[in-house]
Amino acid sequence: MPELRRDPVIGRWVIISTERSRRPGGFSSIRDNQGSVPCPFCPGNESKTPPEILAFGPRGRAPNSPGWTTRVVPNKFPALQIEGDLHRSGEDLFDRMDGLGAHEVIIETEDHTRQLENLDENRVMDVLASWRDRIVDLKKDPRFEYILVFKNRGAAAGASLAHAHSQLIATPMVPIRVKQELRGAEEYFEQKGRCIFCQILRAELEKRERVVEVNDDFAVITPFASRFPFEMWILPRFHTSDFEASTDAQFRSLARTLKSVIGRLNNVLDNPPYNFIVHTSPLKNSRLAHFHWHIELMPKIVHTAGFEWGAGFYINPTPPEQAAQYLREATHRSHCHEVKILFAASEAVPFIKTGGLGEVVGALSASLKTAGHDVRVVLPKYRGLHRGGPSLSLLPFELKIPIGAGEVPVRVYEATFSPRLRAYLVDSPAHFDREGVYGEPGGREFADNDVRFILLSRAVLEIAKAVGFCPDVVHAHDWQTGLVPALLKTVYRADPFFKLTASVFSIHNIAFQGVFPKETLGAANLPWSEFTAEKLEFYDRVNFLKAGLAYAHVISTVSPTYALETQREDFGIGLDGFLKRRAAEYFGILNGLDTHYWNPARDPHLARRYSAKKW
């Protein structure tokens, strides 16, 4: 049955016509004629456009000459003219004014055959920087109230030339469509005290069913009340109302996002025509608490007809949940994508280490980040952790972690260490603010270690949800986080946030297993049905290390030799038979070495430094 959906920002209704539901192949492909020669946007034809306003290219290049890579010129056939004043007048009840404004074209590349998504990251950043620079410059003109940046790709979307370009128009008033968004967002803010776009982001990242992709800085969603099939919104994950206030680092992330989402769209819909628009705050009313700048990307694959024009309703034949699924899957078919990896561990350099575990977790997570993956690390905030290490910042939320029948309040700190790797630190002073990591300085283990690391394991997953980081893989290390794979397959089994999450568990030292009385199961809120010899039970006790082995999709250890040794009765410490049963999923991978830190050529602790070339 068709479904009516209301846009939460402006109140517009759309019809999701499930009875007309169309898959990607159900839309006709509209091809453009790329042979418009001579193209006025190509190098060598600079005289065919008005004189350039801005250009990126080699230093020393003469204006309006070849050699540029991105070029901004006034539109030769402008919708509005920049010269003059408004000259408002009226006739009866009708208002008029002169067509004052600015209309500029951003020629995104010198290459006639390439589109925005085919450019490298730095070149896309130049395009974004040109939008920002022109907004900042035109903002100085008191006659203008708003600047709209937009892109028409393909003749069906309104592009008269095939050469990759976008446009901006400065207007002497705020457009009605933007006013509707501003008004709806302001009304919500007055009622709730929160930005509605931030709330939409939070809700979408919680459910994930309309999320196309997400990174540290941006989320891409198919909006709940999508007007068009495969419509997407790109929203900053940090609150900001002004596009032009974005940093270079944020532009780099946005460049990567634009390349990815347009690539997905091309893969799913066979290079469709599309429009995208940048909605930012009005020029004279910036830094708004209630508004959130964003990009709306709309493929032009259906026709707007009489009902839509007359009623203001849009009829969308593809539910946004279905569109998001196709778009998410597109990346797997098209190219190798970054993997979102969540490390769960009790220690990691440069924060805390008592031995090899901390070294491996710190070095491996950093190496995976350098390889292009999105990696986060969760560990406890022990006493004195901030001294001499990365600076910590308190995140603006508190978690309630279930422990047995009660809840433990937990604060979360964030730290960034090389190379732009994020760590989340679980702050529960009653459990982690004490002398020692696992026990008292004299060597006696803390009596509440079971509760301490139940808390950590549960916090790992709750933090991921709170910050909107949906991992492809959770990598848990040693007994202290052995319950994480168990929780994923029991307590969080029906949670859509972790629907596609796999788990890896690594044994660093099989001698330390985290064995506790069976009553610990209640504190972990794990069902008693899991207390069996095939899962959690270990000689009528609960074994945290065994939990990791039983529930993880894949098990690894520190070397191929150790993987074989731990399957022997004399070395497996009671778990050899269990590991033999999982031998097909058990891999020994030789631990790597952080050669920057463990380098005798620069080690300050050596009496005499040396290298392979200099003894």
Side-chain angles (χ1 to χ4, degrees):
M1 184 175 181
E3 184 176 80
L4 287 165
R5 295 191 183 186
R6 181 179 179 274
D7 183 289
V9 182
I10 67 174
R12 175 189 57 231
W13 288 88
V14 302
I15 299 171
I16 305 298
S17 183
T18 52
E19 293 182 353
R20 301 183 184 183
S21 182
R22 283 196 248 172
R23 296 173 178 271
F27 299 98
S28 59
S29 179
I30 304 171
R31 296 292 180 184
D32 291 317
N33 178 15
Q34 296 287 332
S36 53
V37 178
C39 170
F41 291 168
C42 283
N45 293 336
E46 287 77 14
S47 62
K48 297 183 183 297
T49 68
E52 66 192 39
I53 303 167
L54 174 71
F56 291 81
R59 186 174 298 177
R61 168 191 162 267
N64 303 302
S65 65
W68 52 272
T69 53
T70 301
R71 188 167 179 256
V72 182
V73 298
N75 194 306
K76 194 172 183 178
F77 307 101
L80 298 170
Q81 298 280 357
I82 198 164
E83 296 87 4
D85 294 306
L86 289 175
H87 297 125
R88 297 176 185 269
S89 62
E91 179 181 340
D92 298 327
L93 72 164
F94 306 108
D95 296 321
R96 63 158 60 102
M97 65 180 75
D98 287 350
L100 176 74
H103 190 173
E104 299 176 359
V105 177
I106 299 90
I107 308 169
E108 297 166 348
T109 171
E110 76 285 6
D111 190 337
H112 186 89
T113 65
R114 302 185 75 192
Q115 293 298 322
L116 184 66
E117 65 273 18
N118 306 129
L119 305 178
D120 67 37
E121 253 177 51
N122 290 330
R123 295 288 300 278
V124 179
M125 283 182 67
D126 287 346
V127 175
L128 299 175
S130 69
W131 298 350
R132 176 195 61 200
D133 293 351
R134 293 308 301 142
I135 291 173
V136 169
D137 186 48
L138 289 166
K139 202 172 187 178
K140 299 171 187 174
D141 192 323
R143 300 173 299 169
F144 300 146
E145 298 284 342
Y146 195 79
I147 295 175
L148 184 75
V149 176
F150 61 97
K151 180 177 175 67
N152 304 329
R153 166 74 176 98
S160 56
L161 292 169
H163 197 121
H165 67 284
S166 44
Q167 301 179 65
L168 67 78
I169 295 181
T171 59
M173 75 288 290
V174 179
I176 187 67
R177 172 70 175 80
V178 179
K179 273 188 177 179
Q180 289 174 334
E181 274 194 352
L182 289 164
R183 190 180 301 119
E186 188 170 18
E187 287 174 359
Y188 184 90
F189 189 85
E190 288 173 352
Q191 294 172 14
K192 306 286 188 179
R194 300 186 293 272
C195 166
I196 190 169
F197 293 95
C198 291
Q199 293 302 106
I200 289 171
L201 266 178
R202 187 179 183 89
E204 295 291 1
L205 292 174
E206 177 77 21
K207 289 192 174 180
R208 311 296 293 189
E209 59 184 345
R210 288 180 292 273
V211 174
V212 176
E213 69 174 65
V214 62
N215 60 31
D216 289 354
D217 303 303
F218 293 93
V220 183
I221 64 171
T222 53
F224 171 75
S226 296
R227 295 159 290 179
F228 308 104
F230 297 90
E231 175 181 353
M232 288 183 276
W233 286 17
I234 302 172
L235 300 106
R237 293 184 60 191
F238 45 92
H239 180 82
T240 174
S241 63
D242 313 318
F243 170 84
E244 67 273 19
S246 303
T247 65
D248 287 344
Q250 289 157 2
F251 273 164
R252 181 169 295 281
S253 184
L254 179 57
R256 190 177 300 124
T257 301
L258 279 171
K259 282 171 57 65
S260 175
V261 298
I262 298 173
R264 292 174 191 267
L265 203 62
N266 290 342
N267 287 332
V268 172
L269 296 175
D270 192 18
N271 299 290
Y274 63 80
N275 305 100
F276 76 61
I277 53 177
V278 179
H279 274 183
T280 185
S281 60
L283 300 180
K284 296 176 183 176
N285 198 8
S286 58
R287 297 184 181 179
L288 300 174
H290 61 270
F291 188 70
H292 203 113
W293 80 260
H294 58 282
I295 294 174
E296 300 178 13
L297 194 160
M298 297 152 289
K300 191 74 172 179
I301 52 178
V302 293
H303 296 288
T304 303
F307 176 76
E308 289 91 341
W309 292 122
F313 276 75
Y314 290 86
I315 301 177
N316 181 355
T318 305
E321 297 78 13
Q322 191 179 92
Q325 181 180 349
Y326 286 126
L327 290 163
R328 279 195 302 268
E329 292 173 352
T331 189
H332 295 281
R333 295 194 297 267
S334 60
H335 58 86
C336 182
H337 68 301
E338 70 174 12
V339 179
K340 294 180 171 63
I341 306 167
L342 182 64
F343 273 67
S346 58
E347 51 185 276
V349 295
F351 300 98
I352 182 74
K353 72 166 183 175
T354 62
L357 171 64
E359 290 282 0
V360 171
V361 173
L364 179 59
S365 58
S367 179
L368 288 168
K369 179 70 175 178
T370 302
H373 301 293
D374 191 351
V375 186
R376 316 287 176 90
V377 180
V378 180
L379 68 157
K381 183 180 181 293
Y382 300 111
R383 179 179 294 178
L385 201 66
H386 60 285
R387 296 170 193 161
S391 60
L392 310 181
S393 58
L394 181 64
L395 295 180
F397 58 80
E398 183 177 270
L399 300 176
K400 303 289 187 183
I401 305 299
I403 299 291
E407 290 182 330
V408 175
V410 163
R411 298 186 303 173
V412 181
Y413 285 81
E414 183 181 78
T416 302
F417 60 105
S418 180
R420 289 193 70 204
L421 181 61
R422 292 190 188 187
Y424 302 109
L425 293 99
V426 180
D427 183 33
S428 177
H431 297 92
F432 301 119
D433 185 12
R434 55 181 77 172
E435 290 295 328
V437 175
Y438 306 118
E440 298 170 357
R444 183 179 177 184
E445 288 190 356
F446 293 125
D448 61 346
N449 269 350
D450 52 351
V451 175
R452 295 174 77 222
F453 293 106
I454 290 171
L455 178 70
L456 173 63
S457 296
R458 193 70 182 258
V460 167
L461 302 177
E462 290 299 324
I463 288 170
K465 294 178 68 174
V467 301
F469 182 72
C470 184
D472 297 306
V473 178
V474 173
H475 191 171
H477 297 262
D478 266 355
W479 73 263
Q480 294 88 352
T481 54
L483 290 185
V484 173
L487 289 166
L488 279 171
K489 284 198 174 179
T490 55
V491 176
Y492 292 85
R493 185 184 186 90
D495 192 328
F497 191 84
F498 296 109
K499 183 178 179 180
L500 301 177
T501 300
S503 60
V504 176
F505 181 72
S506 288
I507 307 169
H508 294 264
N509 190 335
I510 202 168
F512 298 97
Q513 298 185 6
V515 180
F516 301 99
K518 61 185 177 183
E519 289 74 22
T520 297
L521 207 64
N525 297 110
L526 288 165
W528 280 100
S529 58
E530 304 299 301
F531 190 67
T532 67
E534 292 75 30
K535 295 179 180 176
L536 296 171
E537 189 269 340
F538 187 75
Y539 298 100
D540 205 35
R541 292 163 72 83
V542 174
N543 185 320
F544 283 22
L545 186 78
K546 185 182 178 185
L549 305 181
Y551 292 91
H553 292 91
V554 173
I555 305 166
S556 72
T557 192
V558 297
S559 73
T561 301
Y562 198 62
L564 294 174
E565 290 174 341
T566 51
Q567 295 178 63
R568 296 197 329 237
E569 186 177 355
D570 60 336
F571 218 94
I573 313 183
L575 293 174
D576 48 286
F578 196 86
L579 286 170
K580 284 179 183 176
R581 288 196 294 274
R582 294 219 58 189
E585 299 87 34
Y586 185 26
F587 301 92
I589 302 171
L590 190 64
N591 268 352
L593 181 70
D594 184 346
T595 54
H596 179 80
Y597 182 79
W598 296 103
N599 186 346
R602 58 168 66 98
D603 190 338
H605 303 291
L606 292 180
R608 182 174 179 180
R609 298 172 194 171
Y610 62 93
S611 69
K613 294 181 179 180
K614 185 178 180 181
W615 292 83

